[in-house]
């Protein structure tokens, strides 16, 4: 198996980590990829980016009122 964050996973198992990555355990290796996409196209003067660990995604919100979301044009 594979050890990830101190926990043993059997070969063929896929796990979601506490820091928002999905990892797959195989006999050859442990492969992980992110579950989130970074926003790059938004109004950087009026908005700010905040990581939401619950949804494993970045929220883009207004600097003046963080309860209001901003329009995001593109993510990578």
């Amino acid at each position: 198996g594979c050890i990830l964050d101190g926990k043993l996973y059997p070969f063929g198992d896929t796990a979601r980590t506490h820091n928002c990555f999905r990892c797959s355990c195989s006999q050859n290796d442990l492969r992980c990829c992110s579950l989130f996409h970074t926003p790059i196209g938004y109004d950087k003067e009026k908005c700010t980016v905040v990581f939401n660990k619950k949804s494993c995604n970045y929220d883009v919100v207004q600097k003046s009122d963080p309860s209001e979301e901003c329009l995001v044009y593109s993510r990578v």
Side-chain angles (χ1 to χ4, degrees), residues 4-44:
L4 177 65
D5 294 330
K7 185 176 177 185
L8 179 63
Y9 294 91
F11 293 131
D13 211 25
T14 300
R16 177 178 160 173
T17 67
H18 69 280
N19 57 349
C20 298
F21 284 83
R22 178 175 294 134
C23 299
S24 299
C25 175
S26 74
Q27 290 183 349
N28 298 324
D29 57 12
L30 177 66
R31 292 181 186 220
C32 299
C33 62
S34 66
L35 295 172
F36 50 87
H37 296 91
T38 306
I40 57 169
Y42 62 93
D43 186 338
K44 292 177 176 62

